[in-house]
């Protein structure tokens, strides 16, 4: 209600940081998802073996050079075995294989997956230091036969960069995933091999595929790996992709037996008398490779952290969805029991009431508000005090006219000082001990005042929160806010009532005992959420604050996203201010401490922490649909949505609302919820930076205009 100061600007730079953070998050998830999406040998891999490779390749040796015009292939000399291992490095099995090789004085060629190299660079470095050789097996074990040329180049280039970062080398050797012996090479595989040849790679196939990944047993692996009649061979084994204990045992047996028969075990390049496959990488490639490794490691940790965060957020949200209806049920039973008790007891004469309406530029709806207050069926005297807070429109003119026309209406004019100051002025001029505070855009029903002040018959009650309804709910934004008011605000208030830790009596409708207001010094101007600040102060002063579901008030909600943002930004920022102001309630004793330890942690978790983290969790959920087990993510989302729908159905029934409004709920979860998350983030950043936030004036559209009928009552 303070006039807008155009010279002040809300902090904006953090949106750039937020955008960069979002890009980093998405980039990290994409890198992790790409690197760990599909790796390792798979028994489910199938593709059409259409056509075959040229005879020169199919009938040739297992090592093929396709960089020239015609393919050239070579074979291993007699009693020379080139041991090759695919799919590593693996942190468990590769070191064991290296131990066996070193024990026997043998060497091997490891066709590594680039993503595994980035995860375990130290293993690659060890293999090279011990005299073994490294070849490329692509970055993600991609099926090169069904991949486009650019994907093949991309996979091979990433692997080279990972090798540069891990061990400072590049490799000239490459083995295609899912390939085997030369005469089994299909036409698509041959085209992929040609693409690799154009990139300068020597393509390695095999003479004997042990198929150890099937885990057929140690004896069968040894039998499949043993050459016939002293021939040389390229042997294919695997050091990753599953349990490789049989491979480790079979390797030890094979080396022992064949070494005794005069076989030599060496790397592929040495066996074929080729130049070394490992060549030094440039400094630039080492730097970019190190960055790739660090980025993949970071993305792996990020995915793990987000998985934990996703689980925590899911558990907390589920618990809240289960707890709110449970507390609402307890509240309903208690209220009904109290009504039955009151029905058999003679009621005291209701107290007179002073209704205070602070008004700043409320010319559109002020008359409807005041006339609804005067038209009450409340049997005791009431007075309506309109406090004009220095309006610049026709608010004081309308207030003066209402004062002339209605006997129990008074207009009080004051310079602009903000809503808390206007309310304090009204309280000071009020004649009665029971005070009802009403916003200038709110309409009461005939029985609202009576229902609202009834709980004040209990001397322990210092304030009563009414049931606020969205009047302009025809548009999509209005429906979203209607659902929020019924499902979120009012279910929360029922729980807070049961736990005796009500944080907010809304400015739209609240009843107060003058003594309770005096005990906290009236309304404070220290926060922008004067209603939350006041309610927390009253709770800390030892008063009970309750929720009266039958006291209905119809309010005009913001009708545009811009206006909604302004309102919620102020609400959220003011709530953060109030929480910080009353933080000592966490360590206080008695009713104040009970309020603090029940209310403040709840608000911190569900209105600050989770909304700030929710966008990250949502991004991770979308990521999980494509990279992780989609069934798990889908089941979690369906379960969460079902729980929300159940809670929403119960809340709407409690308030006597029509269930057909639920059709807007799915879109609310996608659009509206994200907007509210951003509001919380913006508010938190503003609070942390200590930037002053001006009062955002909400433009009224005239949902309630003079002469319009009041909304029909919703049954409760």
């Amino acid at each position: 209600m303070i006039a807008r100061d155009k010279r002040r600007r809300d902090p904006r730079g953090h949106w750039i940081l937020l955008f960069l953070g979002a890009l980093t998050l998405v980039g990290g998830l994409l890198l992790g998802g790409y690197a760990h999406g599909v790796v390792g040998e798979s028994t489910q891999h199938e593709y059409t073996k259409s056509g075959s490779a040229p005879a020169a390749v199919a009938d040739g040796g297992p090592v093929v050079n396709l960089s020239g015009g015609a393919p050239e292939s070579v074979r291993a000399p007699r009693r020379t075995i080139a041991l090759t291992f695919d799919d590593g490095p693996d942190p468990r099995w590769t070191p064991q294989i290296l131990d066996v090789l070193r024990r026997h004085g043998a060497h091997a060629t490891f066709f590594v997956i680039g993503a595994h190299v980035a995860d375990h660079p130290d293993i690659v470095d060890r293999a090279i230091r011990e005299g073994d050789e490294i070849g490329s097996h692509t970055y993600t074990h991609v099926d090169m036969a069904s991949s486009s040329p650019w994907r093949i180049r991309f996979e091979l280039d990433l692997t080279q960069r990972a090798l540069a970062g891990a061990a400072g080398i590049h490799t000239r050797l490459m083995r295609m995933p899912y390939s085997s012996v030369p005469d089994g090479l299909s036409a698509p595989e041959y085209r992929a091999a040609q693409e690799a040849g154009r990139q300068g790679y020597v393509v390695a196939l095999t003479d004997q595929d042990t198929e150890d990944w099937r885990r057929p047993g140690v004896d069968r692996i040894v039998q499949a790996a043993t050459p016939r009649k002293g021939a040389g061979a390229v042997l294919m084994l695997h050091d990753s992709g599953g349990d490789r204990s049989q491979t480790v045992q079979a390797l030890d047996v094979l080396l022992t037996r064949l070494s005794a028969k005069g076989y030599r075990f060496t790397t592929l390049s040495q066996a074929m008398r080729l130049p070394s496959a490992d060549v030094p990488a440039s400094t630039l490639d080492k730097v970019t490779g190190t960055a790739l490794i660090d980025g993949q490691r970071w993305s792996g940790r990020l995915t793990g952290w987000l998985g934990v965060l996703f689980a925590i957020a899911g558990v907390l949200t589920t618990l809240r969805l289960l707890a709110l209806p449970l507390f609402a049920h307890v509240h309903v039973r208690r209220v009904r029991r109290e009504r039955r008790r009151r029905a058999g007891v003679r009621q005291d004469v209701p107290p007179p009431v002073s209704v205070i309406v602070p008004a700043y530029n409320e010319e559109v709806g002020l008359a409807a508000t005041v006339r609804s207050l005067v038209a009450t069926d409340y049997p005791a005297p009431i007075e309506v005090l309109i406090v004009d807070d220095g309006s610049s429109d026709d608010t004081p003119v309308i207030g003066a006219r209402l004062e002339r026309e209605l006997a129990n209406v008074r207009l009080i004019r004051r310079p602009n000082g903000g809503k808390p100051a206007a309310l304090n002025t009204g309280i000071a001029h009020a004649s009665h001990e029971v005070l009802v505070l009403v916003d200038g855009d709110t309409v009461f029903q005939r029985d609202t005042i009576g229902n609202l002040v009834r709980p004040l018959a209990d001397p322990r009650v210092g304030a009563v929160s009414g049931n606020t309804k969205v009047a302009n709910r025809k548009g999509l934004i209005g429906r979203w806010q209607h659902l929020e008011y019924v499902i979120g605000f009012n279910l929360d208030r029922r729980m807070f009532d049961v736990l005796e830790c009500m944080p907010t009596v809304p400015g739209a409708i609240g009843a107060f005992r003058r003594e309770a207001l005096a005990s906290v010094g009236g309304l404070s101007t220290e926060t922008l959420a004067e209603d939350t600040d006041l309610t927390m102060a009253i709770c800390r002063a030892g008063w009970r604050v309750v929720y009266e579901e039958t006291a209905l008030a119809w309010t005009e909600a913001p009708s545009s996203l811009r206006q909604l943002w302004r309102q919620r930004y102020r609400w959220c920022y003011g709530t953060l201010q109030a929480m910080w102001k009353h933080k000592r309630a966490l360590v206080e004793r008695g009713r104040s401490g009970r309020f603090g330890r029940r209310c403040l942690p709840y608000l911190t978790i569900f209105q600050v922490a989770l909304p700030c983290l929710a966008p990250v969790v949502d991004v991770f959920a979308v990521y999980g649909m494509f990279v992780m087990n989609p069934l798990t993510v889908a089941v979690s989302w369906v379960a969460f949505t079902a729980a929300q729908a159940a809670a929403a159905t119960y809340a709407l029934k409690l308030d006597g609302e029509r269930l057909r409004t639920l059709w807007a709920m799915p879109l609310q979860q996608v659009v509206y919820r994200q907007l509210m998350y951003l509001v919380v983030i913006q508010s938190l950043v503003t609070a942390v930076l200590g930037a002053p936030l001006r009062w955002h004036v909400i433009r009224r559209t005239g949902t309630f205009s003079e002469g319009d009928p009041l909304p029909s009552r919703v049954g409760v």
Side-chain angles (χ1 to χ4, degrees), residues 124-176:
V124 175
D125 185 60
R126 174 190 168 181
I128 293 175
R129 285 189 285 103
E130 293 181 358
D132 297 301
E133 186 176 54
I134 301 298
S136 174
H137 203 44
T138 75
Y139 198 77
T140 63
H141 203 271
V142 67
D143 179 10
M144 294 174 61
S146 59
S147 299
S148 61
W150 75 265
R151 174 71 184 276
I152 294 173
R153 292 193 296 270
F154 183 65
E155 287 271 334
L156 296 176
D157 182 67
L158 279 181
T159 304
Q160 294 284 32
R161 294 183 185 278
L163 289 173
I169 64 159
H170 285 324
T171 180
R172 294 191 179 102
L173 284 177
M174 189 277 301
R175 174 176 281 162
M176 297 184 296

Coordinates of all heavy atoms in Angstrom, one line a residue, residues 124-176:
V124 N 43.8 -46.9 -16.5 CA 44.4 -46.8 -17.8 C 45.9 -46.4 -17.7 O 46.8 -47.0 -18.4 CB 43.7 -45.8 -18.6 CG1 44.4 -45.6 -20.0 CG2 42.3 -46.2 -18.9
D125 N 46.2 -45.5 -16.8 CA 47.6 -45.1 -16.6 C 48.4 -46.2 -16.1 O 49.6 -46.4 -16.5 CB 47.6 -43.9 -15.6 CG 49.0 -43.4 -15.4 OD1 49.6 -42.8 -16.4 OD2 49.5 -43.4 -14.2
R126 N 47.9 -47.1 -15.2 CA 48.6 -48.3 -14.7 C 48.9 -49.2 -15.9 O 50.0 -49.7 -16.0 CB 47.9 -49.0 -13.6 CG 48.5 -50.3 -13.2 CD 47.7 -51.1 -12.3 NE 48.2 -52.4 -12.1 CZ 47.7 -53.4 -11.4 NH1 46.6 -53.2 -10.7 NH2 48.3 -54.6 -11.3
A127 N 47.9 -49.5 -16.7 CA 48.1 -50.4 -17.8 C 49.2 -50.0 -18.7 O 50.1 -50.8 -19.2 CB 46.8 -50.6 -18.6
I128 N 49.3 -48.7 -19.0 CA 50.3 -48.2 -19.9 C 51.7 -48.3 -19.3 O 52.7 -48.7 -19.9 CB 50.0 -46.8 -20.4 CG1 48.7 -46.7 -21.2 CG2 51.2 -46.1 -21.1 CD1 48.2 -45.4 -21.6
R129 N 51.8 -48.0 -18.0 CA 53.0 -48.0 -17.3 C 53.6 -49.5 -17.2 O 54.8 -49.7 -17.2 CB 52.9 -47.5 -15.9 CG 52.8 -45.9 -15.8 CD 52.9 -45.4 -14.4 NE 51.6 -45.6 -13.7 CZ 51.4 -46.5 -12.8 NH1 52.4 -47.4 -12.5 NH2 50.2 -46.6 -12.2
E130 N 52.7 -50.4 -17.2 CA 53.1 -51.8 -17.1 C 53.3 -52.5 -18.5 O 53.5 -53.7 -18.6 CB 52.1 -52.6 -16.3 CG 52.0 -52.2 -14.8 CD 51.0 -53.0 -14.0 OE1 50.3 -53.9 -14.6 OE2 50.9 -52.8 -12.8
G131 N 53.3 -51.7 -19.5 CA 53.6 -52.2 -20.9 C 52.5 -52.7 -21.7 O 52.7 -53.3 -22.8
D132 N 51.3 -52.5 -21.2 CA 50.1 -52.9 -22.0 C 49.7 -51.8 -23.0 O 50.2 -50.7 -23.0 CB 48.9 -53.2 -21.1 CG 49.3 -54.4 -20.1 OD1 49.6 -55.5 -20.6 OD2 49.3 -54.2 -18.9
E133 N 48.8 -52.1 -23.9 CA 48.4 -51.3 -25.0 C 46.9 -50.9 -24.9 O 46.1 -51.7 -24.3 CB 48.7 -52.0 -26.3 CG 48.5 -51.1 -27.5 CD 48.9 -51.9 -28.8 OE1 48.3 -53.1 -28.9 OE2 49.7 -51.5 -29.5
I134 N 46.6 -49.7 -25.4 CA 45.2 -49.2 -25.3 C 44.7 -49.0 -26.7 O 45.3 -48.5 -27.6 CB 45.2 -47.9 -24.5 CG1 45.7 -48.0 -23.1 CG2 43.7 -47.4 -24.5 CD1 44.9 -49.0 -22.2
G135 N 43.4 -49.5 -26.9 CA 42.7 -49.2 -28.1 C 41.3 -48.7 -27.8 O 40.9 -48.7 -26.7
S136 N 40.7 -48.1 -28.8 CA 39.4 -47.4 -28.6 C 38.2 -48.4 -28.8 O 38.3 -49.2 -29.8 CB 39.2 -46.2 -29.5 OG 37.9 -45.7 -29.4
H137 N 37.3 -48.4 -28.0 CA 36.0 -49.2 -28.1 C 34.8 -48.3 -28.1 O 33.7 -48.7 -27.7 CB 36.0 -50.2 -27.0 CG 35.1 -51.4 -27.3 ND1 35.2 -52.1 -28.5 CD2 34.2 -52.1 -26.5 CE1 34.4 -53.1 -28.4 NE2 33.8 -53.1 -27.2
T138 N 35.0 -47.0 -28.6 CA 34.1 -45.9 -28.6 C 33.8 -45.4 -27.2 O 34.3 -46.0 -26.2 CB 32.7 -46.3 -29.3 OG1 32.0 -47.1 -28.4 CG2 32.9 -47.0 -30.6
Y139 N 33.1 -44.3 -27.1 CA 32.9 -43.7 -25.8 C 31.8 -44.3 -25.0 O 31.8 -44.4 -23.7 CB 32.6 -42.2 -26.0 CG 32.8 -41.4 -24.7 CD1 34.1 -41.0 -24.3 CD2 31.8 -40.9 -24.0 CE1 34.4 -40.3 -23.2 CE2 32.0 -40.2 -22.8 CZ 33.3 -39.9 -22.4 OH 33.5 -39.1 -21.3
T140 N 30.8 -44.8 -25.6 CA 29.6 -45.4 -24.9 C 29.2 -46.8 -25.4 O 28.1 -47.2 -25.1 CB 28.4 -44.4 -25.1 OG1 28.0 -44.4 -26.4 CG2 28.7 -43.0 -24.5
H141 N 30.1 -47.5 -26.0 CA 29.8 -48.8 -26.6 C 28.7 -48.7 -27.6 O 27.8 -49.5 -27.6 CB 29.5 -49.8 -25.4 CG 29.7 -51.2 -25.8 ND1 28.7 -52.0 -26.4 CD2 30.8 -52.0 -25.6 CE1 29.2 -53.2 -26.5 NE2 30.4 -53.3 -26.1
V142 N 28.8 -47.7 -28.4 CA 27.7 -47.5 -29.4 C 27.8 -48.5 -30.5 O 28.9 -49.0 -30.9 CB 27.8 -46.1 -30.0 CG1 29.1 -45.9 -30.8 CG2 26.6 -45.7 -30.8
D143 N 26.7 -48.9 -31.1 CA 26.6 -49.8 -32.3 C 27.0 -48.9 -33.5 O 26.2 -48.2 -34.1 CB 25.2 -50.4 -32.4 CG 25.1 -51.3 -33.6 OD1 26.2 -51.6 -34.2 OD2 24.0 -51.7 -34.0
M144 N 28.2 -49.0 -33.9 CA 28.7 -48.2 -35.0 C 28.0 -48.6 -36.4 O 27.9 -47.7 -37.2 CB 30.2 -48.3 -35.2 CG 31.0 -47.8 -34.0 SD 32.8 -48.1 -34.1 CE 33.2 -47.2 -35.6
A145 N 27.6 -49.8 -36.5 CA 26.9 -50.3 -37.7 C 25.6 -49.5 -38.0 O 25.2 -49.3 -39.1 CB 26.7 -51.8 -37.7
S146 N 25.0 -49.1 -36.9 CA 23.7 -48.4 -37.1 C 23.8 -46.9 -36.8 O 22.8 -46.2 -36.6 CB 22.6 -49.0 -36.2 OG 23.0 -49.0 -34.8
S147 N 25.0 -46.4 -36.6 CA 25.2 -45.0 -36.3 C 25.6 -44.2 -37.5 O 26.2 -44.7 -38.5 CB 26.3 -44.9 -35.2 OG 26.0 -45.6 -34.0
S148 N 25.3 -42.9 -37.5 CA 25.7 -42.0 -38.6 C 27.2 -41.7 -38.5 O 27.8 -41.9 -37.4 CB 24.9 -40.7 -38.4 OG 25.2 -40.1 -37.2
P149 N 27.8 -41.3 -39.6 CA 29.2 -41.0 -39.6 C 29.6 -39.9 -38.5 O 30.7 -40.1 -37.9 CB 29.5 -40.5 -41.0 CG 28.4 -41.1 -41.9 CD 27.2 -41.2 -41.0
W150 N 28.8 -38.9 -38.3 CA 29.1 -37.9 -37.3 C 29.1 -38.5 -35.9 O 30.0 -38.1 -35.1 CB 28.2 -36.7 -37.4 CG 26.8 -36.9 -36.8 CD1 25.7 -37.3 -37.5 CD2 26.5 -36.8 -35.4 NE1 24.6 -37.4 -36.6 CE2 25.1 -37.1 -35.3 CE3 27.1 -36.5 -34.3 CZ2 24.4 -37.2 -34.1 CZ3 26.5 -36.5 -33.1 CH2 25.1 -36.8 -33.0
R151 N 28.2 -39.4 -35.7 CA 28.2 -40.0 -34.3 C 29.4 -40.9 -34.1 O 30.0 -40.9 -33.0 CB 26.9 -40.9 -34.2 CG 26.8 -41.7 -32.9 CD 26.6 -40.9 -31.7 NE 26.6 -41.6 -30.5 CZ 25.6 -42.3 -29.9 NH1 24.4 -42.3 -30.6 NH2 25.7 -43.0 -28.8
I152 N 29.8 -41.6 -35.2 CA 31.0 -42.4 -35.1 C 32.2 -41.5 -34.8 O 33.0 -41.8 -33.9 CB 31.3 -43.2 -36.4 CG1 30.1 -44.3 -36.5 CG2 32.6 -43.9 -36.4 CD1 30.2 -45.0 -37.9
R153 N 32.4 -40.4 -35.5 CA 33.5 -39.5 -35.3 C 33.4 -38.9 -33.9 O 34.5 -38.8 -33.2 CB 33.5 -38.4 -36.3 CG 33.8 -38.9 -37.8 CD 34.0 -37.7 -38.7 NE 32.8 -36.8 -38.8 CZ 31.9 -37.0 -39.8 NH1 32.0 -38.0 -40.6 NH2 30.9 -36.2 -39.9
F154 N 32.2 -38.6 -33.5 CA 32.1 -38.0 -32.1 C 32.5 -39.0 -31.0 O 33.2 -38.6 -30.1 CB 30.6 -37.6 -31.9 CG 30.3 -36.9 -30.6 CD1 30.9 -35.6 -30.3 CD2 29.5 -37.5 -29.7 CE1 30.6 -35.0 -29.1 CE2 29.2 -36.8 -28.5 CZ 29.8 -35.6 -28.2
E155 N 32.1 -40.2 -31.1 CA 32.4 -41.2 -30.2 C 33.9 -41.5 -30.1 O 34.5 -41.6 -29.0 CB 31.7 -42.5 -30.5 CG 30.2 -42.5 -30.2 CD 29.8 -42.9 -28.8 OE1 30.6 -43.7 -28.2 OE2 28.8 -42.5 -28.3
L156 N 34.5 -41.6 -31.3 CA 35.9 -41.9 -31.3 C 36.7 -40.7 -30.8 O 37.7 -40.8 -30.1 CB 36.4 -42.2 -32.7 CG 35.8 -43.5 -33.3 CD1 36.2 -43.7 -34.7 CD2 36.2 -44.7 -32.4
D157 N 36.3 -39.4 -31.1 CA 37.0 -38.2 -30.7 C 36.9 -38.1 -29.2 O 37.9 -37.7 -28.5 CB 36.4 -37.0 -31.4 CG 37.2 -35.7 -31.0 OD1 38.3 -35.6 -31.3 OD2 36.5 -34.9 -30.3
L158 N 35.7 -38.3 -28.6 CA 35.6 -38.2 -27.1 C 36.5 -39.2 -26.4 O 37.1 -38.9 -25.4 CB 34.1 -38.5 -26.7 CG 33.2 -37.3 -26.9 CD1 31.8 -37.7 -26.4 CD2 33.6 -36.1 -26.1
T159 N 36.6 -40.4 -27.0 CA 37.5 -41.4 -26.4 C 38.9 -41.0 -26.4 O 39.7 -41.2 -25.4 CB 37.3 -42.8 -27.1 OG1 35.9 -43.2 -27.0 CG2 38.1 -43.9 -26.4
Q160 N 39.4 -40.4 -27.5 CA 40.7 -39.9 -27.6 C 41.0 -38.8 -26.6 O 42.1 -38.8 -26.0 CB 41.0 -39.4 -29.0 CG 41.0 -40.4 -30.1 CD 42.2 -41.3 -30.2 OE1 42.9 -41.6 -29.2 NE2 42.6 -41.7 -31.4
R161 N 40.0 -38.0 -26.4 CA 40.2 -36.9 -25.4 C 40.3 -37.5 -24.0 O 41.1 -37.0 -23.1 CB 39.1 -35.9 -25.5 CG 39.1 -35.1 -26.9 CD 38.1 -34.1 -27.0 NE 38.1 -33.5 -28.3 CZ 38.9 -32.5 -28.7 NH1 39.8 -32.1 -27.8 NH2 38.9 -32.0 -29.9
A162 N 39.5 -38.5 -23.7 CA 39.5 -39.1 -22.4 C 40.9 -39.8 -22.2 O 41.5 -39.7 -21.1 CB 38.4 -40.1 -22.3
L163 N 41.4 -40.4 -23.2 CA 42.7 -41.0 -23.1 C 43.8 -40.0 -22.9 O 44.8 -40.2 -22.1 CB 43.0 -41.9 -24.3 CG 42.2 -43.2 -24.5 CD1 42.5 -43.8 -25.8 CD2 42.6 -44.1 -23.4
A164 N 43.7 -38.9 -23.6 CA 44.7 -37.8 -23.4 C 44.6 -37.2 -22.0 O 45.7 -37.0 -21.4 CB 44.4 -36.7 -24.4
G165 N 43.5 -37.1 -21.4 CA 43.4 -36.6 -20.1 C 43.8 -37.6 -19.0 O 44.3 -37.3 -18.0
A166 N 43.6 -38.9 -19.3 CA 43.9 -40.0 -18.3 C 45.4 -40.3 -18.3 O 46.0 -40.5 -17.3 CB 43.0 -41.2 -18.6
A167 N 45.9 -40.5 -19.6 CA 47.3 -41.0 -19.6 C 48.2 -40.2 -20.6 O 49.3 -40.6 -20.8 CB 47.3 -42.5 -20.1
G168 N 47.7 -39.1 -21.2 CA 48.5 -38.3 -22.1 C 48.8 -38.9 -23.4 O 49.8 -38.6 -24.0
I169 N 47.9 -39.8 -23.9 CA 48.1 -40.5 -25.1 C 46.9 -40.5 -26.0 O 45.8 -40.2 -25.6 CB 48.5 -42.0 -24.9 CG1 47.3 -42.8 -24.3 CG2 49.8 -42.2 -24.1 CD1 47.3 -44.2 -24.5
H170 N 47.1 -40.8 -27.3 CA 46.1 -41.1 -28.3 C 46.4 -42.6 -28.7 O 47.4 -43.1 -28.5 CB 46.1 -40.2 -29.5 CG 45.5 -38.8 -29.2 ND1 44.4 -38.7 -28.3 CD2 45.8 -37.6 -29.6 CE1 44.1 -37.4 -28.2 NE2 45.0 -36.7 -29.0
T171 N 45.4 -43.2 -29.4 CA 45.6 -44.5 -29.9 C 45.3 -44.6 -31.3 O 44.4 -43.9 -31.8 CB 44.7 -45.5 -29.1 OG1 44.9 -46.9 -29.6 CG2 43.2 -45.2 -29.2
R172 N 46.0 -45.6 -32.0 CA 45.7 -45.8 -33.5 C 44.8 -47.0 -33.7 O 44.3 -47.3 -34.8 CB 47.0 -46.1 -34.2 CG 47.9 -44.9 -34.3 CD 49.1 -45.2 -35.3 NE 50.0 -44.1 -35.4 CZ 51.2 -44.1 -34.8 NH1 51.6 -45.1 -34.0 NH2 52.0 -43.0 -35.0
L173 N 44.5 -47.8 -32.6 CA 43.7 -49.0 -32.7 C 42.2 -48.7 -32.3 O 41.9 -47.9 -31.4 CB 44.3 -50.1 -31.7 CG 45.5 -50.8 -32.2 CD1 46.0 -51.7 -31.1 CD2 45.3 -51.5 -33.5
M174 N 41.4 -49.5 -33.0 CA 39.9 -49.3 -32.6 C 39.3 -50.7 -32.9 O 39.6 -51.4 -33.9 CB 39.3 -48.3 -33.5 CG 37.9 -47.9 -33.1 SD 36.6 -49.0 -33.8 CE 36.9 -48.8 -35.5
R175 N 38.4 -51.1 -32.0 CA 37.6 -52.3 -32.2 C 36.1 -51.8 -32.1 O 35.7 -51.2 -31.1 CB 37.9 -53.4 -31.2 CG 36.9 -54.5 -31.3 CD 37.3 -55.7 -30.3 NE 38.4 -56.4 -30.9 CZ 39.2 -57.3 -30.1 NH1 39.0 -57.3 -28.8 NH2 40.1 -57.9 -30.7
M176 N 35.3 -52.2 -33.0 CA 33.9 -51.8 -33.1 C 33.2 -52.7 -32.0 O 33.3 -53.9 -32.0 CB 33.3 -52.1 -34.4 CG 33.9 -51.2 -35.5 SD 33.1 -51.4 -37.1 CE 33.5 -53.2 -37.4

